[in-house]
Amino acid sequence: MIGVFDSGLGGLTVVKEIMRELPGYPVVYFGDTARMPYGTKGDAAVRRFAVQDAELLMREGVEVIVIACNTASALAREEVQAAVNVPVIDVVTPTVTAVLAEDYRKIGVIGTSATVRSGVYEKMIHAADPRRRLYARACPLFVPLVEEGSERRPETAIIAKRYLNQLKLRHLDALILGCTHYPFLRRQVQAAVGPGVRLIDPAQATVQLLKRRLTEDPRLARPVSGDPHHRFLVSDSSPIFARLASRWLKRPVELELVQVE
Ligand code: DGL
């Protein structure tokens, strides 16, 4: 079983990619809806939450964990790996590798306040190639807009334009969607930065890395024959979450309420 966690709906962008690329593998998803958002919290709180989320997934019997949250990946990937005895894949490391493999010179990064404050993308990309130019911008209202199902509301497009105005003027080659909630707003973000900017969704590089790990070591987790049974756990009941998750994954999603601490 593949364990995946995020603060809320965002990690489902990674789950969708897992379902597409690794269709036979059962997924146990945990959305920490009771403590969401993570991106406005301090570093210590995010680290504590991320370790508890991983421990919860371990109790469910997962064999590999994907931190489908940029905030937790930026601040807590080492702590999470130290806390569990299964492989942990974060969303930042494979995204950095994918970006470095392309000849992008001017790269934008958008994410939560905590992710942008951490400077994780700048640090990792510059450590490998100091010539790349990075421009980061926190977009704190994006997460609540996604969790409210407000992607298509006119005010969301206005907020996206406000947030991304400065980045648009940079004439970026690529823009990293450095929060797993943001692919829900892909269309609005693309409209705000212009059609020439390549949007990088961390879900793709992350799931490619997961796929490679599973191919290299098939004992890690096994696919089932037939349709796998996926589970969706949340720490607070939320009718809107179930509705939006079903819409995003194009399948019925039944939520299980769990206690994380
Ligand atoms: N989706 C998460 C991320 O990638 C967390 C968003 C939040 O809870 O603030 O950063």
Side-chain angles (χ1 to χ4, degrees), residues 6-13 29 36 146-147 180-181 184 241 244-245:
D6 179 43
S7 61
L9 279 167
L12 295 177
T13 59
Y29 185 76
M36 184 215 41
V146 168
E147 293 284 337
T180 51
H181 281 73
F184 281 90
F241 187 104
L244 295 174

Side-chain angles (χ1 to χ4, degrees), residues 77 90-98 124 209:
R77 56 193 185 286
D90 69 275
V91 284
V92 173
T93 312
T95 305
V96 167
T97 309
M124 289 175 77
L209 177 60

Side-chain angles (χ1 to χ4, degrees), residues 6-7 10-11 36-40 68-72 112 115 143 178-181:
D6 179 43
S7 61
M36 184 215 41
Y38 283 4
T40 54
C69 171
N70 279 262
T71 309
T112 64
T115 299
V143 168
C179 170
T180 51
H181 281 73

